[in-house]
Amino acid sequence: MKKEAQTATTNANTVRATDAEETRLNILEVATEEFSDKGLSGARIDEIAERTNSSKRMIYYYFGSKESLYRAVLERAYTRVRSVDTNINIYDLSPAVALRSIITTTFDYHIQHPEFVRLVMNENILRGAHIGDIPGIKERNRKVIDNLRDVLSKGVSEGVFREGIDPIELHMTISALCFYNVSNRYTFAYGFDRDMSSTKALGRRHNSVIDIIESWCRA
Amino acid sequence: MKKEAQTATTNANTVRATDAEETRLNILEVATEEFSDKGLSGARIDEIAERTNSSKRMIYYYFGSKESLYRAVLERAYTRVRSVDTNINIYDLSPAVALRSIITTTFDYHIQHPEFVRLVMNENILRGAHIGDIPGIKERNRKVIDNLRDVLSKGVSEGVFREGIDPIELHMTISALCFYNVSNRYTFAYGFDRDMSSTKALGRRHNSVIDIIESWCRA
Amino acid sequence: MKKEAQTATTNANTVRATDAEETRLNILEVATEEFSDKGLSGARIDEIAERTNSSKRMIYYYFGSKESLYRAVLERAYTRVRSVDTNINIYDLSPAVALRSIITTTFDYHIQHPEFVRLVMNENILRGAHIGDIPGIKERNRKVIDNLRDVLSKGVSEGVFREGIDPIELHMTISALCFYNVSNRYTFAYGFDRDMSSTKALGRRHNSVIDIIESWCRA
Amino acid sequence: MKKEAQTATTNANTVRATDAEETRLNILEVATEEFSDKGLSGARIDEIAERTNSSKRMIYYYFGSKESLYRAVLERAYTRVRSVDTNINIYDLSPAVALRSIITTTFDYHIQHPEFVRLVMNENILRGAHIGDIPGIKERNRKVIDNLRDVLSKGVSEGVFREGIDPIELHMTISALCFYNVSNRYTFAYGFDRDMSSTKALGRRHNSVIDIIESWCRA
DNA sequence: TATGAATGAGCCTTCATTCAT
DNA sequence: TATGAATGAAGGCTCATTCAT
């Protein structure tokens, strides 16, 4: 896992810079696991350092403090989602198919990235204390909403969607249904003896979510 | 371990027993705030003690450890929800009105008890490590599901609801929409510049949630 | 185990006094176990109270403090030994038999009262801080030494014991051999894989101790 | 976990490593005093830290817990005895002189190392809970017993010792007489008004111990 | 850029003891 | 004589962070 990428860069500092970037990334990955697992206050710098290829000192060298490291982790997590839902090309699709595609992408992303879900939960426990420090979030979200608005209005004009649905309201609904499924997995699964992790259970829920939203939007 | 008895007794011990129960309750209330505010690892026993009418020592006298106190808080929070959604009398209402009533009750409870929402979030961050220790959760949930099943089947036989909706799936949907609204308030409100706390905003979302679920269930 | 003794006493307070004495004794017995088990600093007042028929408050009512309770325990333990080795009637026996009888009594007492051994160990760990407060110890010891002196001098004059053995030195030797056997049981048994508790092992050691001391004293 | 290596290395780390080893040793020395003085439960980490050149935090850095520190102290104490009684060269001496040499060495060691005696007492109060964790004790003891067996059998074949004396029994006897002399110093000295610390008193006891054991072993 | 050693502040917990009744 | 509730002080341990090299 060491020194494989980026070796083809051109400037003089290449090797060292690459090493440094690698170290940074390695720390970030381990920290993501730890913060996502235990939350900001539950995470331990020692624990992160131990599972890192480098040392505790390096964490401070690169990130300055536990909080800054947490912020870097949060930022990286949000950056990664961005790249996902920006990739959906909606304009080639019919409104119905586009909506379904958006739901599916969102649903799958949450399932495949529980660490993102947990980081967001934690950030809400912290009453959003750090999210304001992360650049680009609003821009990305604007784009998401714009997409939804386009899909909705296209659907309305084609007579397949009903009028009056607010795109933010729609996004909140999709998010809620996809998020809760992962975020509340433990208490819900226990309280209702309900499997929430198997492919079968997830497939069923996926269908429900699509069904719910389509029923709502349908003209 | 519960000291709820004796409240009607007449002998000298009564007063003291009441004092003790008061102390216990006072600790529990403060602890609920603290754990709901900072989570299990973020909460500080010193902090709780300070805001209590008693002392740090008393916390250990009554609850034994930080974790046990946390469990007591969690249990109390779950006990309180129970009393709420068991109180909805469904049998006197038409299926449509009953469903709407359930949604409204659930929606309002989450709004009015963000501390419950936060405790549940935290318990999920802990991967449900303590929920299994709390008695009666499954029983209460069974009753909730039974109620929903009754409403659904009554609605189906009356021709107002469609067939095939699983009551657990329905409950998960209602929960998700009501929970997310509070749980993700901070990140969502920031990310989308969306007011999520004003009466107006909540009223709007309330309508959406009812609309979403009704669209889904409607025959 | 309650209220069986002393019911025949004559003064007015009989019943209460008896109860009190019983409570005191019960505390003392439990405390003996606890102090002997864990030492002064290792013992816990809570632990003692719990295993008592009465309460923690009573311990303070009767004994005033942990240290005083410890002293009471120590005193009682020393009082009990006293009654034992004062009971050996030496004057009727030949010097050799008397000596052997003393050794056997001492040996057996240590085996049968490891709690006494442990209390003495603990008191030595405390550098004898409390033994001075216990009355009557020196008197009792004087008597023990006097007995030994008598046996020795009688043995010398009968030609069975050699001259020049100091009775205190002799007592120290007997004590050492009987005490160590119990006091160092755990480290010795482990270090040398030597059973030190079975009847057989104790019988063997008993013989050795007699043999050692007789060899030393023999003319 | 041991940092004894590197002492001969030449690079920059040498000095630091030595400092670390010094810190560790310093803690160990102070801890030996404290545990030997007060026992495991009576000892205070704060007290140790205060008398150390470093801090409480360092104690945990190097030893992890109070119990582990105690174990390290116990181990070191046992390691040190080992080096002593392994040093007696028995093969050049006549059996009688060898035996006397062993007794003297043992006697003197106990006098000069009351902290060792006290640690062993304490470990017995703990019912040998930790001695099993210390490596090498049995090996060392085997060697001690082997030496004694050699001396005994050589003495028997030369006609100076009598047959039938078990080397473990002999060792226990020597130990008991040397150990008690120090372990029970406080209670004995008080109870019998007997000086047990002056050179004169120790010389006298030393002679007695030699006399006792020689009488027993003599053919 | 990198590392082992060190630290102060604070955290959870426990203990002997006392108070109100 | 008896009891449950309460307490201050301290004890063991951990944490994020920094220093010397």
Side-chain angles (χ1 to χ4, degrees):
Chain A
M1 284 219 179
K2 265 195 151 187
K3 305 181 188 180
E4 59 219 53
Q6 284 192 322
T7 15
T9 0
T10 43
N11 62 6
N13 288 331
T14 307
V15 184
R16 305 197 72 196
T18 302
D19 284 5
E21 198 46 39
E22 228 173 77
T23 304
R24 241 190 79 97
L25 196 65
N26 176 233
I27 291 171
L28 224 35
E29 272 163 0
V30 173
T32 298
E33 279 178 40
E34 179 80 1
F35 282 125
S36 142
D37 197 32
K38 323 250 183 75
L40 175 53
S41 55
R44 296 291 166 252
I45 291 281
D46 279 281
E47 187 77 8
I48 295 171
E50 204 159 286
R51 286 159 49 201
T52 280
N53 292 331
S54 58
S55 71
K56 186 158 56 160
R57 189 67 192 80
M58 281 300 92
I59 294 173
Y60 283 91
Y61 185 81
Y62 282 116
F63 297 95
S65 74
K66 192 190 185 185
E67 278 209 349
S68 299
L69 176 56
Y70 167 78
R71 265 193 297 273
V73 162
L74 199 61
E75 176 167 3
R76 184 158 165 270
Y78 268 106
T79 307
R80 296 180 126 196
V81 206
R82 188 180 329 176
S83 66
V84 169
D85 45 27
T86 307
N87 276 344
I88 311 172
N89 198 341
I90 275 148
Y91 305 95
D92 303 340
L93 307 170
S94 76
V97 173
L99 179 59
R100 191 174 291 209
S101 165
I102 288 170
I103 296 169
T104 297
T105 307
T106 307
F107 189 87
D108 288 349
Y109 191 85
H110 283 81
I111 297 298
Q112 283 154 24
H113 293 281
E115 85 287 347
F116 171 70
V117 172
R118 297 172 67 85
L119 285 172
V120 173
M121 285 170 84
N122 185 63
E123 179 60 10
N124 277 290
I125 291 249
L126 297 171
R127 302 187 189 279
H130 306 92
I131 194 153
D133 302 338
I134 298 173
I137 287 194
K138 296 197 178 189
E139 290 67 32
R140 165 203 162 237
N141 290 343
R142 233 186 313 275
K143 186 151 185 224
V144 169
I145 298 304
D146 287 347
N147 276 350
L148 276 180
R149 184 179 296 108
D150 288 350
V151 170
L152 278 172
S153 66
K154 204 172 156 196
V156 168
S157 68
E158 290 184 13
V160 295
F161 291 160
R162 67 152 141 157
E163 271 184 76
I165 289 185
D166 174 56
I168 296 192
E169 209 77 2
L170 172 57
H171 176 66
M172 198 190 293
T173 303
I174 298 173
S175 268
L177 294 173
C178 296
F179 196 92
Y180 185 89
N181 206 38
V182 176
S183 69
N184 287 43
R185 187 182 283 179
Y186 298 98
T187 53
F188 198 95
Y190 170 79
F192 295 90
D193 275 326
R194 181 82 163 192
D195 171 25
M196 291 175 77
S197 302
S198 72
T199 320
K200 195 179 151 200
L202 291 171
R204 176 188 196 167
R205 185 65 190 157
H206 185 188
N207 288 337
S208 293
V209 172
I210 289 181
D211 200 9
I212 292 159
I213 291 164
E214 286 187 344
S215 308
W216 186 41
C217 295
R218 195 157 26 231
Chain B
M1 247 168 235
K2 290 279 187 68
K3 313 252 164 86
E4 287 148 77
Q6 286 194 326
T7 12
T9 3
T10 44
N11 62 16
N13 283 335
T14 309
V15 185
R16 307 232 89 225
T18 303
D19 284 5
E21 196 48 34
E22 238 168 62
T23 305
R24 239 188 82 99
L25 197 65
N26 177 231
I27 291 170
L28 223 34
E29 273 162 0
V30 176
T32 298
E33 281 178 38
E34 177 82 1
F35 282 126
S36 142
D37 197 32
K38 323 251 184 74
L40 175 53
S41 55
R44 294 292 165 254
I45 290 283
D46 278 279
E47 188 76 12
I48 294 171
E50 207 158 283
R51 287 157 48 200
T52 280
N53 292 331
S54 59
S55 69
K56 183 160 60 158
R57 188 61 194 75
M58 276 297 92
I59 295 175
Y60 284 90
Y61 184 75
Y62 282 113
F63 298 96
S65 74
K66 193 189 185 186
E67 278 209 351
S68 298
L69 176 58
Y70 166 78
R71 266 192 296 271
V73 162
L74 199 61
E75 175 167 5
R76 184 156 165 271
Y78 268 106
T79 306
R80 295 180 128 196
V81 205
R82 188 180 330 176
S83 65
V84 168
D85 45 27
T86 307
N87 276 344
I88 311 172
N89 199 342
I90 276 148
Y91 304 95
D92 304 338
L93 309 170
S94 75
V97 174
L99 178 59
R100 190 174 294 207
S101 166
I102 288 170
I103 296 168
T104 297
T105 307
T106 307
F107 189 86
D108 288 349
Y109 191 84
H110 284 79
I111 297 299
Q112 284 154 23
H113 293 281
E115 85 286 349
F116 171 71
V117 172
R118 296 172 67 84
L119 285 172
V120 173
M121 285 171 83
N122 185 63
E123 179 61 11
N124 277 290
I125 291 252
L126 297 172
R127 302 187 190 277
H130 306 94
I131 196 158
D133 301 338
I134 298 174
I137 288 194
K138 296 198 178 187
E139 289 68 32
R140 166 200 161 240
N141 291 344
R142 234 188 308 277
K143 181 139 189 236
V144 170
I145 298 304
D146 287 346
N147 277 350
L148 277 180
R149 184 179 297 109
D150 289 349
V151 170
L152 279 172
S153 65
K154 205 170 153 197
V156 168
S157 67
E158 290 183 12
V160 295
F161 291 160
R162 67 150 139 158
E163 273 184 70
I165 290 187
D166 174 55
I168 295 190
E169 210 77 1
L170 173 57
H171 176 68
M172 199 190 293
T173 303
I174 298 172
S175 268
L177 295 173
C178 296
F179 195 93
Y180 185 89
N181 206 37
V182 176
S183 69
N184 286 42
R185 187 180 283 178
Y186 298 97
T187 53
F188 199 96
Y190 170 78
F192 296 90
D193 276 327
R194 180 81 163 195
D195 172 23
M196 289 174 79
S197 301
S198 71
T199 320
K200 197 181 150 198
L202 290 171
R204 177 187 194 167
R205 184 63 190 158
H206 184 187
N207 287 337
S208 293
V209 171
I210 288 180
D211 199 9
I212 292 160
I213 292 165
E214 285 186 344
S215 307
W216 185 41
C217 295
R218 194 157 26 231
Chain C
M1 283 217 181
K2 267 197 148 183
K3 305 183 186 179
E4 60 221 54
Q6 283 190 324
T7 14
T9 0
T10 44
N11 61 6
N13 288 331
T14 308
V15 183
R16 308 196 70 195
T18 302
D19 283 7
E21 198 47 39
E22 228 172 77
T23 304
R24 240 190 80 99
L25 197 65
N26 176 234
I27 291 171
L28 225 35
E29 273 163 1
V30 174
T32 299
E33 279 178 39
E34 178 81 0
F35 283 125
S36 141
D37 197 33
K38 322 248 184 74
L40 175 54
S41 54
R44 296 291 166 253
I45 291 280
D46 279 283
E47 187 79 10
I48 295 172
E50 204 160 287
R51 286 159 49 199
T52 280
N53 292 331
S54 58
S55 72
K56 186 157 60 159
R57 189 63 192 80
M58 281 299 92
I59 295 173
Y60 283 92
Y61 184 81
Y62 281 117
F63 298 95
S65 75
K66 191 189 186 187
E67 277 209 350
S68 299
L69 176 57
Y70 167 78
R71 265 193 296 274
V73 162
L74 198 61
E75 176 167 2
R76 181 154 166 272
Y78 267 108
T79 307
R80 296 180 127 195
V81 208
R82 188 181 328 176
S83 66
V84 169
D85 47 26
T86 308
N87 275 345
I88 312 173
N89 198 343
I90 276 147
Y91 305 95
D92 304 340
L93 308 169
S94 75
V97 174
L99 179 59
R100 189 173 294 206
S101 163
I102 289 170
I103 296 168
T104 297
T105 307
T106 307
F107 189 87
D108 289 348
Y109 191 85
H110 284 80
I111 298 298
Q112 285 153 21
H113 293 281
E115 87 285 350
F116 171 71
V117 172
R118 295 172 67 86
L119 285 171
V120 173
M121 286 170 84
N122 186 62
E123 179 60 12
N124 276 289
I125 292 244
L126 297 171
R127 302 189 190 278
H130 306 93
I131 195 155
D133 301 338
I134 297 174
I137 287 194
K138 296 198 177 186
E139 291 66 33
R140 167 204 159 234
N141 289 345
R142 235 188 311 276
K143 183 146 188 228
V144 170
I145 298 303
D146 287 347
N147 276 351
L148 276 180
R149 185 179 296 107
D150 290 349
V151 170
L152 278 172
S153 65
K154 203 169 156 198
V156 169
S157 68
E158 288 183 14
V160 295
F161 291 161
R162 65 150 139 159
E163 272 185 70
I165 289 185
D166 174 55
I168 295 189
E169 209 77 2
L170 173 57
H171 176 68
M172 197 188 294
T173 303
I174 298 173
S175 268
L177 295 173
C178 296
F179 195 94
Y180 185 89
N181 207 37
V182 176
S183 69
N184 288 42
R185 188 180 282 178
Y186 297 98
T187 52
F188 199 96
Y190 171 78
F192 295 92
D193 275 325
R194 182 80 164 196
D195 173 25
M196 289 175 79
S197 301
S198 72
T199 320
K200 197 179 151 198
L202 290 171
R204 178 188 192 168
R205 185 62 190 160
H206 186 190
N207 287 336
S208 293
V209 172
I210 288 181
D211 199 10
I212 292 159
I213 290 164
E214 285 187 345
S215 307
W216 186 40
C217 295
R218 196 157 26 230
Chain D
M1 245 167 240
K2 290 278 189 67
K3 314 247 163 93
E4 288 147 76
Q6 284 194 325
T7 12
T9 2
T10 44
N11 61 19
N13 283 334
T14 310
V15 184
R16 305 233 89 223
T18 303
D19 283 4
E21 196 48 33
E22 239 168 60
T23 304
R24 238 189 82 99
L25 198 65
N26 177 233
I27 291 171
L28 223 35
E29 272 162 0
V30 175
T32 299
E33 279 177 39
E34 177 81 0
F35 282 126
S36 143
D37 197 31
K38 321 250 184 75
L40 175 53
S41 54
R44 294 291 165 254
I45 292 281
D46 279 280
E47 188 77 11
I48 295 172
E50 207 158 284
R51 287 157 48 201
T52 280
N53 292 332
S54 59
S55 69
K56 183 159 63 158
R57 188 60 195 76
M58 277 295 94
I59 294 174
Y60 285 90
Y61 184 76
Y62 283 114
F63 297 96
S65 74
K66 192 189 186 184
E67 277 209 352
S68 297
L69 176 57
Y70 166 78
R71 266 194 294 274
V73 162
L74 199 61
E75 175 167 6
R76 184 156 165 272
Y78 268 106
T79 307
R80 295 180 127 195
V81 206
R82 188 181 328 178
S83 66
V84 169
D85 46 27
T86 308
N87 275 345
I88 312 171
N89 197 341
I90 275 146
Y91 304 94
D92 305 340
L93 308 170
S94 75
V97 173
L99 179 59
R100 191 174 292 209
S101 164
I102 288 169
I103 296 167
T104 297
T105 307
T106 307
F107 189 87
D108 288 350
Y109 191 86
H110 283 79
I111 297 298
Q112 284 153 21
H113 293 281
E115 86 286 349
F116 171 71
V117 172
R118 297 171 67 84
L119 285 172
V120 174
M121 286 170 83
N122 185 63
E123 178 61 11
N124 277 289
I125 291 255
L126 297 172
R127 302 189 190 276
H130 306 92
I131 195 157
D133 301 337
I134 299 174
I137 288 196
K138 296 198 176 188
E139 291 66 34
R140 165 201 162 240
N141 289 344
R142 234 187 312 274
K143 184 146 187 226
V144 170
I145 298 304
D146 288 346
N147 277 351
L148 276 180
R149 184 180 295 108
D150 288 350
V151 171
L152 278 171
S153 67
K154 203 169 153 198
V156 168
S157 68
E158 289 183 13
V160 296
F161 291 161
R162 65 151 141 156
E163 274 184 73
I165 290 185
D166 174 56
I168 294 189
E169 209 78 2
L170 174 56
H171 177 68
M172 198 189 295
T173 303
I174 298 173
S175 267
L177 295 172
C178 295
F179 196 93
Y180 185 89
N181 206 39
V182 176
S183 68
N184 288 41
R185 189 181 281 177
Y186 297 97
T187 53
F188 199 96
Y190 171 78
F192 296 89
D193 275 326
R194 181 81 163 196
D195 172 24
M196 290 174 78
S197 300
S198 73
T199 321
K200 198 180 148 198
L202 289 171
R204 179 188 192 168
R205 184 64 190 158
H206 185 188
N207 287 336
S208 292
V209 171
I210 289 182
D211 200 8
I212 291 160
I213 290 163
E214 285 187 343
S215 307
W216 185 41
C217 294
R218 195 156 28 231

